[in-house]
Amino acid sequence: MFQAKFRKYTLQFRRPAGTSRGVLLSKESYFIFLSEDKIPGITGVGECSVLKGLSPDDRPGLEAKVEYVCRNLSEIWENREETLAEWPAIEAGVEMALADLKTGGNRLLFPSDFTSEKKSIPINGLIWMGKPDEMLRQIDEKISDGFRVIKMKIGAIEFEEELKLIRYIRSRRSTKEISIRLDANGAFSTDEALEKLKRLADFEIHSIEQPIRQGQIEVMAGLCSRTPVPIALDEELIGITKASDKIRLLESIRPQYIILKPSLLGGFEASSEWIRLAGAAGVGWWVTSALESNVGLNAIAQWTATLKNDLPQGLGTGGLFTNNFPSPLVVKSGSLHYHLQDQWDLSAIS
């Protein structure tokens, strides 16, 4: 028999985090603490990470739903395809807590060469939107920190200014030294998207996430068939839970990549299904965190390390918050490392 409780916690950004959908100053997470009668003294912890305006869970009744799930976890989890399909962050958080519980409750969910310090995970360095001079400062920081992949969010300032920033990166480092990823968060209009993609192609961009807003299947399919810059679907995957619908989306749009965010897709099992279907369709993929605390980031990174994908992943968000939890996760020279000697401290939510 499971016993579960939760704690709400607000993460504070070190600096305003700009996206095409607005500026983030804080974000909320719900932490689930899970124990079981047959393994006393051990508690698994999972994070339900909610992004305002993007997560399907971001709606009235969220906290009441988390409380209800904790009270009725055994029954709900047995029928999670029906009970949690519309609450992917909660499903992901419960899945994390269960995995942690089963492996001893010490935040070591998926042992691998990553957790034994034999390998690190290459990651992209994220450039948040802001004033051009602030974005330039971020770019210089990421280059100095040794990142070989820079991901820049675009769509909030003038396109010509964004081109100047990309040109600046290329003036500092060649395509052999640094790859550039872009994330438009659906900011391009349908009538301008292809022309903008053509202009971006001059800089040998690795990929661009969600150039137009999700839900425009035919337009996105046309872009993916004609684009000079590989397109990665991100928001387009949110809310699609049935395998048949996933297959239909991949076959209809035929993107070059998909981006997997377990907190937005319903956890690891749901994300693994996307990976399997993408492989069958010849679509590439990588994993990105969705502004989780180190609890969620740790689980996602450990899971990612078991997937044997050599592409740089989007797992560098642990340092964004002033009140994150001390953990074994360390970003160094453009990679995420796991330092066994560093201890967890979850006293802020205990």
Side-chain angles (χ1 to χ4, degrees):
M1 186 72 177
F2 291 121
Q3 288 83 44
K5 61 180 181 179
F6 75 93
R7 173 77 183 273
K8 182 179 177 180
Y9 189 72
T10 301
L11 292 154
Q12 305 291 340
F13 283 89
R14 292 186 184 280
R15 61 172 70 106
T19 76
S20 60
R21 288 187 294 268
V23 177
L24 300 174
L25 302 177
S26 64
K27 72 165 293 290
E28 294 179 347
S29 283
Y30 292 82
F31 293 89
I32 293 178
F33 298 85
L34 185 61
S35 58
E36 191 174 9
D37 292 341
K38 63 183 180 181
I39 45 176
I42 295 176
T43 300
V45 183
E47 179 177 0
C48 310
S49 177
V50 181
L51 288 179
K52 194 169 184 61
L54 183 60
S55 299
D57 308 71
D58 178 34
R59 52 193 160 113
L62 168 60
E63 188 162 330
K65 183 68 175 182
V66 175
E67 184 177 9
Y68 178 78
V69 169
C70 287
R71 287 202 316 265
N72 303 276
L73 185 59
S74 297
E75 178 184 351
I76 286 174
W77 193 248
E78 288 180 5
N79 303 286
R80 61 186 180 276
E81 291 184 2
E82 291 78 28
T83 57
L84 292 177
E86 297 180 354
W87 302 89
I90 298 178
E91 185 173 9
V94 173
E95 189 180 28
M96 286 181 204
L98 282 168
D100 189 22
L101 179 67
K102 291 177 180 178
T103 53
N106 55 8
R107 319 292 91 80
L108 191 60
L109 291 74
F110 303 100
S112 69
D113 285 347
F114 171 65
T115 55
S116 62
E117 297 188 352
K118 294 178 182 177
K119 285 187 177 181
S120 59
I121 301 174
I123 59 176
N124 55 231
L126 182 59
I127 309 299
W128 290 94
M129 292 175 179
K131 295 180 180 179
D133 58 344
E134 167 62 17
M135 295 179 73
L136 277 174
R137 187 188 62 75
Q138 293 182 64
I139 289 168
D140 284 334
E141 283 181 358
K142 298 305 179 186
I143 292 175
S144 297
D145 289 343
F147 283 91
R148 294 183 58 82
V149 180
I150 288 178
K151 173 181 170 181
M152 194 172 92
K153 288 184 173 290
I154 62 174
I157 62 176
E158 290 294 327
F159 186 62
E160 295 300 327
E161 291 295 329
E162 292 169 339
L163 290 178
K164 290 179 182 178
L165 292 168
I166 297 169
R167 189 175 293 112
Y168 175 74
I169 298 174
R170 278 286 164 257
S171 73
R172 294 284 311 276
R173 294 292 187 273
S174 69
T175 56
K176 292 182 179 180
E177 296 171 298
I178 283 184
S179 292
I180 300 174
R181 291 175 175 171
L182 302 175
D183 185 0
N185 287 132
F188 295 172
S189 67
T190 56
D191 59 356
E192 68 181 1
L194 185 58
E195 182 58 34
K196 286 187 173 181
L197 291 170
K198 289 178 179 177
R199 296 189 66 188
L200 290 169
D202 292 339
F203 302 98
E204 298 183 67
I205 304 299
H206 172 272
S207 56
I208 182 169
E209 297 178 32
Q210 208 70 43
I212 62 173
R213 62 178 174 79
Q214 69 268 36
Q216 304 177 89
I217 304 300
E218 291 185 7
V219 180
M220 185 68 87
L223 276 180
C224 287
S225 68
R226 302 169 62 192
T227 182
V229 176
I231 290 175
L233 302 186
D234 182 356
E235 290 92 339
E236 205 78 61
L237 311 185
I238 298 173
I240 299 178
T241 59
K242 295 181 179 178
S244 58
D245 292 336
K246 294 176 181 178
I247 293 170
R248 188 176 301 112
L249 180 79
L250 293 170
E251 291 183 345
S252 297
I253 296 181
R254 297 198 173 276
Q256 285 74 38
Y257 297 101
I258 60 172
I259 309 300
L260 302 165
K261 294 178 177 175
S263 291
L264 296 177
L265 301 180
F268 304 125
E269 187 175 323
S271 299
S272 294
E273 183 174 64
W274 274 112
I275 291 172
R276 178 176 60 81
L277 296 175
V283 175
W285 57 271
W286 66 87
V287 178
T288 297
S289 54
L291 300 182
E292 294 85 359
S293 75
N294 279 337
V295 172
L297 179 61
N298 171 68
I300 293 169
Q302 290 186 24
W303 172 71
T304 302
T306 69
L307 302 176
K308 296 179 171 56
N309 183 336
D310 292 333
L311 286 175
Q313 309 296 309
L315 303 174
T317 56
L320 293 176
F321 307 112
T322 60
N323 58 339
N324 209 339
F325 313 109
S327 79
L329 299 175
V330 177
V331 175
K332 182 179 178 182
S333 302
S335 292
L336 184 65
H337 300 255
Y338 194 89
H339 285 182
L340 288 168
Q341 72 271 22
D342 295 334
Q343 300 298 310
W344 283 96
D345 181 358
L346 300 182
S347 58
I349 54 172
S350 297

